[in-house]
């Protein structure tokens, strides 16, 4: 595995060579959404210019071509996550829709009043609210895995929490803390209690080589836009036999085999869950994105991000000591490159605003994880997050801008 | 290009560092209304003591957390409406929203039927005008208006409770 050539990688991303407020763009918000390489932009542009038509419908050449490219993209994404078959990968709008698909189709068919769903205190709202809606509608009990002071999950009472649970739904990597959760013991414990497992891999798959079969989960949700692909498309992976037994989610074209006055029959998977015209060109862009990630190598990306995260954590500590609190593990082997932090007495929003002056893009807010923010006892944090196109210079720009911001708001 | 000094005027930083009217009032007789900024997670609670006979905002207290813009706007709002009549307070709310370029009419070019400019003539915003720079930073407008929307909601709730 050779280390990443970040300078060359930066050149692959047109937006990184633009300016923001007169400064070089220092993009540190990839955990919200990543930037897109030329390979993705070109693949999508090419599709629109040369072989755009609706899929699974026309018999003419460009329609056949569009369908073939769309299905080829599915196969690429499926292979990228280690799925055994392309039909186990359902295209959806985003991870949020993937989780809702499970909540509406699988859970409403299989869960009954009194059943429990187990989630954790560090979930994104996308993996909280669908279960709260289900709980309110069906009398399902929602249970929460708590968090330790070191920002890891507290698994000491896991067996009690899983007792009588039908589903464990947890994030593989926290979008706020960066924490990578120990999926092996979590999934093994769920199995021991005959609970199904959904992994929110929205933050994990873009950064760490993933094999969903090795995980042994039942459902995996993720979004293309956080992994160099376009917005508007994501995926739900699930084992074929589970998908086949599930009732359809949305009804309409594409998802049917036959429709008569008295009813309908459903199409095969994955199309059974893809009602209506899909995000055709976005799927093609998604395929190009995983090609791009493969060309760099996921292990090289993870290695680069671990080194950069360590560099950043050290730089923040050296410069600001205890005046700045990092909310997340110190050990880069159990965390990704999302670093949430707060200055004593300065609101995250104000920090981000001053950073923006220097073209440094960080996120400020609750990061769609309000239950977690309440645990942390803060209304908001600033978050810098890295991807393969970030380097030490970006971190140095962040630190320099933070020095300015701290001065600005000094009491 | 709008710079930081447009946003963070000295008077704003002053209210941020030493916010006025912080605290809580006993409920009842005071009325408590909570406001949330879904964008950043900021929360504010506005305690209002409105005299039902005189219709005056006799006392106001604020609690909650927020960024400098929301803290300063909240602090200034509390100063501006304390001792004023409910009617005056409502006029201030409208004037402040107009300052934030938030017009009551829903669509561009559509009038809400009243002449806002004439309506607001003579309303003095004073220090509040320092917040005008916020308009150049559209995402921050919600920070500045959080307290005002919460105040408006509080006045509405009090109005609904009053025997009429
Ligand atoms: C951990 C996690 N889960 C789910 C989501 C939701 O992703 P999307 O908005 O693409 O549906 C996000 C996005 O921020 C996330 O970070």
């Amino acid at each position: 595995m050779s280390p990443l050539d970040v300078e060359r990688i930066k050149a692959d991303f047109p937006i990184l060579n633009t300016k923001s407020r007169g400064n070089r763009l220092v993009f540190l918000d990839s955990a919200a959404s990543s930037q897109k390489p030329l390979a993705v932009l070109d693949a999508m542009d090419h599709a629109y210019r040369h072989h755009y038509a609706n899929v699974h419908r026309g018999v003419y050449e460009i329609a056949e071509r569009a369908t073939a490219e769309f299905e080829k993209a599915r196969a690429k994404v499926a292979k990228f996550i280690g799925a055994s078959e392309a039909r186990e990968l359902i295209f959806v709008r985003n991870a949020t829709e993937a989780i809702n698909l499970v909540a509406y189709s699988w859970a409403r068919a299989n869960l009954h009043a009194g059943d429990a769903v187990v989630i954790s205190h560090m979930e994104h709202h996308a993996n909280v609210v669908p279960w709260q809606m289900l709980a309110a509608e069906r009398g399902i009990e929602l249970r929460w895995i708590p968090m330790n002071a070191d920002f890891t999950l507290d698994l000491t009472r896991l067996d009690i929490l899983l007792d009588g649970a039908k589903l464990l739904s947890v994030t593989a990597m926290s979008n706020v803390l960066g924490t990578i959760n120990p999926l092996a013991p979590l999934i093994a414990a769920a199995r021991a209690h005959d609970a199904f497992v959904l992994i929110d891999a929205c933050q994990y798959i873009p950064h760490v080589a993933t094999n969903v079969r090795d995980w042994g989960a039942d459902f995996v949700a993720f979004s293309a836009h956080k992994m160099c692909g376009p917005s508007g498309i994501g995926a739900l992976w699930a084992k074929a036999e589970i998908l086949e037994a599930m009732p359809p989610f949305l009804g309409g074209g594409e998802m049917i085999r036959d429709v008569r006055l008295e009813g309908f029959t459903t199409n095969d998977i994955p199309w059974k869950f893809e009602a209506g015209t899909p995000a055709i060109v976005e799927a093609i862009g998604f395929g190009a994105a995983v090609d791009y990630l493969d060309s760099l190598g996921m292990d090289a990306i993870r290695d680069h991000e671990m080194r950069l995260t360590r560099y950043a954590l050290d730089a923040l500590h050296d410069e600001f000591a205890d005046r700045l609190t990092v909310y997340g593990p110190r050990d880069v082997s159990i965390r990704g490159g999302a670093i949430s932090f707060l200055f004593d007495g300065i609101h995250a929003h104000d920090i981000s605003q001053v950073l923006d002056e220097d073209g440094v893009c960080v996120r400020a807010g609750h990061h769609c994880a309000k239950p977690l923010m309440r645990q942390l006892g803060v209304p908001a944090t600033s978050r810098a997050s890295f991807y393969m196109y970030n380097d030490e210079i970006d971190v140095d720009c962040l630190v320099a801008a933070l020095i300015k911001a701290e001065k600005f708001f000094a009491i | 290009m709008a710079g930081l000094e447009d946003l963070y005027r000295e008077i704003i930083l002053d209210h941020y560092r030493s916010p006025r009217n912080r605290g809580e009032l006993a409920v009842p007789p005071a009325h408590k209304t909570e406001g949330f900024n879904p964008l950043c997670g900021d929360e504010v609670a506005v305690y209002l003591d409105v005299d039902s006979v005189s219709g005056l905002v006799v006392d106001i207290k604020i609690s909650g957390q927020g960024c400098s813009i929301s803290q300063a706007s909240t602090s200034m709002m509390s100063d501006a409406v304390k001792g004023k009549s409910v009617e005056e307070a409502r006029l201030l709310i409208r004037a402040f929203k107009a300052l934030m370029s938030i017009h009551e009419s829903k669509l561009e070019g559509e009038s809400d039927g009243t002449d806002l400019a004439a309506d607001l003539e003579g309303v003095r915003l004073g220090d509040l005008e320092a917040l005008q720079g916020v308009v150049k930073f559209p995402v921050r407008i919600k920070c500045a208006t959080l307290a005002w929307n919460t105040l408006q909601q509080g006045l509405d709730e009090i109005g609904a409770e009053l025997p009429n």
Side-chain angles (χ1 to χ4, degrees):
Chain A
M1 180 180 72
S2 51
L4 297 183
D5 180 350
V6 179
E7 206 155 320
R8 267 191 54 197
I9 290 173
K10 275 190 195 286
D12 291 339
F13 290 78
I15 204 169
L16 297 181
N17 302 300
T18 61
K19 295 201 163 210
S20 171
R21 308 210 186 278
N23 292 292
R24 185 177 73 89
L25 183 70
V26 179
F27 188 74
L28 298 176
D29 196 19
S30 297
S33 201
S34 78
Q35 298 300 346
K36 322 300 171 199
L38 257 181
V40 169
L41 305 178
D42 285 349
M44 295 177 72
D45 188 62
H46 189 269
Y48 274 125
R49 286 172 191 273
H50 299 284
H51 50 85
Y52 179 77
N54 210 331
V55 291
H56 305 132
R57 308 240 200 316
V59 292
Y60 45 91
E61 190 202 345
I62 58 168
E64 278 177 4
R65 179 82 191 278
T67 304
E69 295 289 330
F70 178 76
E71 291 302 331
K72 198 162 93 191
R74 186 195 309 279
K76 282 182 192 177
V77 177
K79 182 160 170 282
F80 183 76
I81 60 162
S84 34
E85 299 177 79
R87 66 191 184 118
E88 294 184 333
L89 193 114
I90 297 157
F91 282 135
V92 291
R93 271 191 309 145
N94 45 39
T96 302
E97 187 173 296
I99 296 169
N100 275 279
L101 196 164
V102 177
Y104 277 91
S105 167
W106 178 84
R108 278 169 174 73
N110 290 285
L111 269 53
H112 308 284
D115 288 342
V117 170
V118 178
I119 62 176
S120 88
H121 272 161
M122 59 172 81
E123 300 309 316
H124 187 281
H125 293 165
N127 195 29
V128 174
V129 180
W131 309 118
Q132 289 178 325
M133 289 163 70
L134 185 72
E137 185 189 311
R138 290 287 171 90
I140 304 286
E141 186 195 349
L142 195 54
R143 297 181 190 159
W144 302 77
I145 304 173
M147 195 174 65
N148 295 311
D150 65 359
F151 309 104
T152 60
L153 287 182
D154 174 0
L155 303 186
T156 47
R157 293 181 62 252
L158 186 60
D159 277 321
I160 299 167
L161 288 170
L162 283 168
D163 189 31
K166 287 282 165 63
L167 177 72
L168 168 69
S169 188
V170 287
T171 187
M173 186 193 288
S174 162
N175 63 315
V176 179
L177 311 166
T179 309
I180 295 175
N181 287 320
L183 294 188
L186 280 162
I187 294 172
R191 286 284 171 252
H193 290 275
D194 290 326
F196 280 66
V197 178
L198 189 162
I199 301 298
D200 174 359
C202 211
Q203 293 290 341
Y204 188 93
I205 288 177
H207 302 279
V208 192
T210 300
N211 185 307
V212 293
R213 269 175 305 158
D214 288 352
W215 277 355
D218 300 294
F219 305 102
V220 175
F222 56 110
S223 290
H225 69 90
K226 292 189 204 279
M227 48 194 290
C228 296
S231 57
I233 192 159
L236 172 70
W237 171 85
K239 288 178 191 154
E241 63 268 25
I242 296 175
L243 290 173
E244 274 164 350
M246 276 161 58
F249 173 35
L250 300 174
E254 186 79 21
M255 52 75 68
I256 50 87
R257 166 154 300 132
D258 190 17
V259 183
R260 294 166 182 269
L261 293 183
E262 50 283 349
F264 72 96
T265 51
T266 56
N267 200 342
D268 292 332
I269 61 165
W271 307 292
K272 176 173 137 186
F273 295 103
E274 294 180 356
T277 298
I280 300 163
V281 175
E282 285 76 5
I284 292 168
F286 198 175
V290 300
D291 280 347
Y292 181 77
L293 294 173
D294 270 336
S295 75
L296 301 176
M298 289 309 295
D299 288 337
I301 291 174
R302 170 70 179 142
D303 188 60
H304 170 75
E305 289 178 15
M306 276 183 10
R307 268 188 291 118
L308 192 59
T309 304
R310 182 177 299 127
Y311 178 83
L313 289 171
D314 287 347
L316 291 172
H317 187 261
D318 290 349
E319 188 61 47
F320 303 109
D322 292 343
R323 305 196 302 287
L324 181 143
T325 305
V326 169
Y327 296 91
R330 296 252 141 217
D331 176 359
V332 296
S333 71
I334 57 154
R335 60 132 57 241
I339 302 181
S340 278
F341 60 90
L342 265 187
F343 277 103
D344 213 13
I346 312 178
H347 194 277
H349 238 162
D350 292 316
I351 290 292
S352 304
Q353 192 81 58
V354 179
L355 264 49
D356 172 58
E357 271 261 299
D358 291 346
V360 178
C361 313
V362 302
R363 173 92 187 264
H366 54 64
H367 316 292
C368 298
K370 286 195 84 170
L372 173 61
M373 303 309 282
R374 292 212 164 87
Q375 294 290 313
L376 299 175
V378 295
T381 66
S382 295
R383 181 189 67 194
S385 54
F386 307 128
Y387 214 174
M388 77 293 264
Y389 40 65
N390 295 117
D391 57 13
E392 282 81 359
I393 301 170
D394 294 333
V395 175
D396 295 344
C397 289
L398 169 69
V399 172
L402 286 173
I403 292 172
K404 236 174 86 173
E406 193 188 23
K407 283 217 182 84
F408 195 90
F409 288 102
I411 307 267
Chain B
M1 194 189 77
L4 281 183
E5 55 289 350
D6 290 316
L7 186 61
Y8 296 114
R9 304 276 182 77
E10 199 40 54
I11 177 104
I12 292 176
L13 292 175
D14 176 61
H15 275 268
Y16 165 58
R17 285 172 189 140
S18 20
R20 328 290 198 258
N21 302 305
R22 292 231 20 126
E24 300 179 0
L25 294 174
V27 181
H31 183 92
K32 176 184 179 185
T33 308
E34 287 178 303
F36 298 89
N37 182 344
L39 178 74
C40 59
D42 286 352
E43 302 177 3
V44 64
V46 175
Y47 295 83
L48 284 167
D49 184 356
V50 174
D51 187 287
S52 58
V53 180
S54 66
L56 293 180
V57 179
V58 184
D59 202 359
I60 178 168
K61 289 269 190 250
I62 309 287
S63 68
Q65 293 166 295
C67 65
S68 59
I69 300 301
S70 88
Q71 292 281 332
S73 181
T74 306
S75 171
M76 290 175 170
M77 178 278 279
S78 67
D79 259 359
V81 302
K82 193 167 166 174
K84 298 269 172 35
S85 70
V86 169
E87 226 135 275
E88 286 170 309
R90 286 190 182 281
L91 216 50
L92 271 171
I93 294 171
R94 292 193 68 191
F96 185 75
K97 288 192 176 179
L99 185 77
M100 292 292 114
S101 301
I102 300 168
H103 299 291
E104 309 269 289
S105 51
K106 298 289 176 285
L107 292 173
E108 226 169 300
E110 189 184 286
S111 158
D112 66 348
T114 61
D115 188 351
L116 190 66
D119 216 27
L120 297 178
E121 215 179 67
V123 179
R124 293 186 48 86
L125 284 169
D127 285 356
L128 285 165
E129 299 207 357
L131 282 163
Q132 184 150 40
V134 174
V135 178
K136 295 179 194 154
F137 299 82
V139 275
R140 303 303 292 277
I141 292 177
K142 281 208 163 63
C143 310
T145 51
L146 175 63
W148 295 84
N149 287 329
T150 312
L151 171 68
Q152 184 166 22
Q153 192 190 331
L155 294 176
D156 288 349
E157 287 164 0
I158 292 170
E161 277 168 19
L162 284 180
N164 214 318

